[in-house]
Amino acid sequence: MLGKKMKKIIKKQKQAKKTNRALILKVFFIASLVFYIFQSIFCFAGEGAGTTAFNFLKIGAGARPVGMGEAYSALADDINAIYWNPAGLGEITEREITASYLSYIAGINSGYFGYALPLARGGLGVGVVYLDYGQIQETTLDNPDGVNLGSYRPYDLAVIAAYGCKVAGGLNVGINMKGVHEDIQGYTANAIAFDIGTLYDLPANDLTLSCSVKNLGLQTKAFIKEKHDLPLMFDFGLGYSLLADALKIGLNLYQPQGGNFNFNIGGEYCWKKLVSFRMGYKSIGKDLKTGSDKDNLTGLSVGLGVNMKVYQLDYAFVPFNELGNTHRLSFGLKFGKNNVAFGKEKRRVKKQKINKKKKVVKKQKINKKKKIVKKQKINKKKKVVKKQKINKKKKIVKKQKVGKTKQVKKQEVKNKKLSKKNKNKKEIGIEFYKNGKKYCKQEKYQTAIKEYRIALKRGYKTAKLYAGMGYCYYKLGNKKAAKSLYKRALDLDPDNKRIKKNLKKISKKGKIKNDKKVVDKWRNL
């Protein structure tokens, strides 16, 4: 039986692998086809290199993705998905906040803030990108030095709203909308842009694929008259996870409008879920080479991350040859799940399911052993019950046949004698109870307890005796003994209101109060 089941499981696993491979080939073929279609329609239909507007949208946000060489589209499963691939918002399970600062070249500074919220189906995110060019000296043709002309401070701003969700199986779809604004010395320009992304997860192969179109939109307002295209870009990404998601590798293939075909590659290694080491390379870095000694570093990026339960701190360093170096610092916070039924499964859960299938045979063996043990226990219990029933029937039959023997008669006589003795003992016990009551009134509580105990031994067990004994212990400061004795008194006389009141007073917290009224009531018991 086990051998047949094992063969069935192995067949199913082989079939699943074949279907996964076929899906990978199909998705790759469709993605590459769409890539070339967009490339032919959009990327070569522009005005040429350097003619797009709002080029600050090309600058990456977040220290983690940048530290991996911006090869992040297929690995976007956190708050950074708002900017890089909105489809990744379908994977978030906790509310997240991130804030990032960028020290860019030529004195330019930038900031990014994002918030992500998991919903019943998918995830919602909002983000703000701000770029400050610093103070620039105003000049004219007549006054090229800008003497007495002052300065101005241009800036760029983008507000993002994103949504991503699972569609079917491991396929996620997402979209974000950007409201873009630029200001240069009082002249402003506006635009609306969209990012559309997909993310396909193949958990059996630890592989993820992504396709996205970025900055698809138009300029709604020009600085003066002439409007320009947005920096449109089509991106195809591939992500691979190893060592139980401790090592992640990403690859991105893309071509911006009016630019050359480029690729990004990078990786991240997380050590004990505490420290992450990142490194990446951007092929576009070759355009920055000038023949200097710093050419070897162009295109490279390095990053470091520290995870502290709900907090995350990330840093990224990217050199720009003779233009200088850039530094990014990001801070993230996760603060609990949203109180909504998610209906989602993480990649780890999917892996656990696959491992469970492999362990089916082992569980079957364990379950069989458990069933055998249970049956043995049930059979033993049944046998014991049967024996008990049989023994009871035999005893009843013997008693009916034998009847009352001489020993039984002797026992009856002895019982009568014992009952007489017990009556005498009770009478003596009443005398000791009265003596104890007298000593209690004289506040000789220890001697009173001794008299009460003798009365108990003589068989005089009444509610009044236990209550009086409890009162003596209470006065001696032993509240535990007093409580137990008053409870015993209540068991014997449950309708006695005085005993109930006294028990409640003893049960209250605090020091023992020598209240004369309370003492008089207890003495009258």
Side-chain angles (χ1 to χ4, degrees):
M1 289 295 290
L2 291 171
K4 289 180 180 179
K5 287 180 180 179
M6 276 293 293
K7 286 178 181 178
K8 287 180 181 179
I9 292 162
I10 291 162
K11 283 182 181 179
K12 285 180 181 179
Q13 287 177 352
K14 286 180 179 179
Q15 287 175 358
K17 284 181 180 179
K18 286 179 181 178
T19 53
N20 285 331
R21 285 171 187 170
L23 278 170
I24 291 167
L25 292 171
K26 286 178 182 178
V27 171
F28 185 82
F29 175 75
I30 292 165
S32 59
L33 183 64
V34 174
F35 174 76
Y36 287 113
I37 290 167
F38 270 93
Q39 188 183 50
S40 60
I41 293 171
F42 296 106
C43 295
F44 295 109
E47 299 170 326
T51 58
T52 58
F54 305 100
N55 287 302
F56 77 99
L57 296 174
K58 296 178 182 179
I59 300 171
R64 186 190 176 202
V66 173
M68 297 171 67
E70 300 184 10
Y72 195 71
S73 295
L75 299 172
D77 58 355
D78 60 3
I79 193 168
N80 292 305
I82 296 169
Y83 191 88
W84 294 93
N85 187 356
L89 289 172
E91 297 293 324
I92 64 170
T93 57
E94 293 181 297
R95 290 176 287 177
E96 296 182 43
I97 287 177
T98 186
S100 179
Y101 171 74
L102 165 62
S103 177
Y104 205 52
I105 57 176
I108 299 171
N109 297 310
S110 177
Y112 171 69
F113 175 80
Y115 173 73
L117 175 70
L119 302 176
R121 185 176 179 182
L124 183 68
V126 291
V128 179
V129 181
Y130 182 79
L131 189 74
D132 180 17
Y133 292 90
Q135 293 289 342
I136 297 175
Q137 181 65 44
E138 185 177 352
T139 61
T140 63
L141 293 172
D142 297 331
N143 190 357
D145 296 328
V147 179
N148 298 325
L149 291 180
S151 61
Y152 59 97
R153 195 181 195 98
Y155 69 90
D156 297 332
L157 179 69
V159 180
I160 308 169
Y163 175 75
C165 66
K166 281 191 176 181
V167 179
L171 180 63
N172 287 22
V173 177
I175 186 170
N176 73 21
M177 184 178 73
K178 304 174 189 175
V180 190
H181 176 78
E182 281 191 346
D183 187 308
I184 302 174
Q185 202 177 7
Y187 294 94
T188 60
N190 299 324
I192 295 174
F194 295 89
D195 292 355
I196 302 169
T198 60
L199 187 68
Y200 188 70
D201 187 7
L202 297 168
N205 299 291
D206 299 319
L207 189 68
T208 52
L209 304 173
S210 70
C211 291
S212 60
V213 182
K214 297 182 179 180
N215 304 320
L216 182 66
L218 52 89
Q219 187 174 357
T220 58
K221 182 186 176 184
F223 284 110
I224 300 174
K225 290 183 179 180
E226 189 178 358
K227 293 181 180 180
H228 297 281
D229 294 333
L230 301 183
L232 182 69
M233 183 173 66
F234 183 82
D235 180 280
F236 174 74
L238 187 145
Y240 191 65
S241 299
L242 297 164
L243 305 176
D245 288 345
L247 178 62
K248 294 184 178 182
I249 299 169
L251 174 66
N252 275 52
L253 307 174
Y254 68 97
Q255 184 173 9
Q257 182 176 353
N260 297 321
F261 183 82
N262 295 294
F263 71 90
N264 300 338
I265 187 168
E268 175 187 54
Y269 176 72
C270 186
W271 180 73
K272 293 186 178 181
K273 297 182 180 181
L274 294 173
V275 183
S276 299
F277 303 94
R278 306 181 185 106
M279 192 172 183
Y281 174 75
K282 295 174 66 177
S283 64
I284 200 170
K286 65 180 181 287
D287 297 335
L288 299 174
K289 292 185 177 182
T290 59
S292 66
D293 296 335
K294 297 180 180 179
D295 284 349
N296 294 327
L297 297 176
T298 53
L300 288 174
S301 60
V302 179
L304 182 69
V306 179
N307 301 316
M308 297 168 285
K309 292 183 179 179
V310 297
Y311 304 102
Q312 184 168 348
L313 188 66
D314 297 304
Y315 170 77
F317 171 78
V318 182
F320 275 81
N321 208 334
E322 299 296 334
L323 296 174
N325 302 321
T326 66
H327 305 272
R328 281 177 178 81
L329 188 65
S330 297
F331 174 76
L333 173 65
K334 294 181 180 180
F335 51 100
K337 294 182 178 179
N338 191 20
N339 295 323
V340 182
F342 289 100
K344 306 181 201 177
E345 290 179 355
K346 293 183 180 179
R347 293 174 188 174
R348 290 181 185 176
V349 176
K350 291 178 181 177
K351 288 181 182 178
Q352 285 175 357
K353 285 183 179 179
I354 292 158
N355 292 329
K356 281 180 182 178
K357 288 179 182 178
K358 291 178 181 178
K359 294 175 182 177
V360 168
V361 176
K362 289 182 180 179
K363 284 186 177 180
Q364 286 176 350
K365 289 180 180 179
I366 293 162
N367 290 330
K368 280 188 177 181
K369 287 180 181 179
K370 286 181 179 179
K371 285 178 182 178
I372 291 163
V373 172
K374 282 183 181 179
K375 284 181 180 179
Q376 288 175 350
K377 287 181 179 179
I378 291 161
N379 291 329
K380 282 182 180 180
K381 286 180 181 179
K382 285 180 179 178
K383 287 178 182 179
V384 171
V385 172
K386 283 181 181 179
K387 284 182 180 179
Q388 287 176 351
K389 286 180 180 179
I390 292 161
N391 291 328
K392 280 182 181 179
K393 286 180 181 179
K394 286 180 179 179
K395 285 179 182 178
I396 290 163
V397 172
K398 282 181 181 179
K399 282 181 181 179
Q400 287 174 352
K401 288 180 179 179
V402 175
K404 288 186 178 182
T405 58
K406 291 180 181 180
Q407 291 179 354
V408 173
K409 289 179 180 179
K410 286 180 181 179
Q411 285 178 356
E412 287 177 354
V413 172
K414 285 181 181 179
N415 289 331
K416 287 178 181 178
K417 289 180 181 179
L418 286 169
S419 62
K420 287 180 182 179
K421 286 182 180 179
N422 288 329
K423 285 180 181 177
N424 293 327
K425 281 183 180 180
K426 282 183 180 178
E427 290 173 359
I428 295 163
I430 291 164
E431 290 178 4
F432 281 103
Y433 166 72
K434 289 178 180 178
N435 292 333
K437 198 172 181 182
K438 287 178 185 178
Y439 287 120
C440 185
K441 287 179 180 179
Q442 294 172 7
E443 297 183 355
K444 296 179 180 179
Y445 301 114
Q446 289 182 349
T447 52
I449 289 165
K450 288 179 182 178
E451 294 294 317
Y452 285 139
R453 283 179 179 171
I454 295 166
L456 286 170
K457 287 179 181 178
R458 296 292 179 183
Y460 186 75
K461 297 178 180 180
T462 62
K464 289 181 179 180
L465 188 144
Y466 282 109
M469 200 170 176
Y471 172 73
C472 293
Y473 274 107
Y474 177 79
K475 296 301 292 181
L476 291 170
N478 192 343
K479 288 180 79 175
K480 287 184 180 179
K483 277 184 187 179
S484 63
L485 289 164
Y486 270 105
K487 285 179 182 178
R488 181 65 177 155
L490 263 179
D491 292 336
L492 295 170
D493 190 4
D495 297 324
N496 195 313
K497 293 181 180 179
R498 285 187 178 179
I499 293 169
K500 286 179 180 179
K501 286 181 182 179
N502 295 334
L503 184 60
K504 284 181 181 179
K505 289 175 182 178
I506 291 167
S507 299
K508 287 181 180 179
K509 294 181 180 180
K511 295 181 180 179
I512 298 168
K513 295 181 180 179
N514 292 320
D515 192 353
K516 290 183 178 180
K517 291 181 181 179
V518 176
V519 171
D520 293 334
K521 283 181 183 178
W522 286 349
R523 282 179 179 172
N524 292 326
L525 283 171

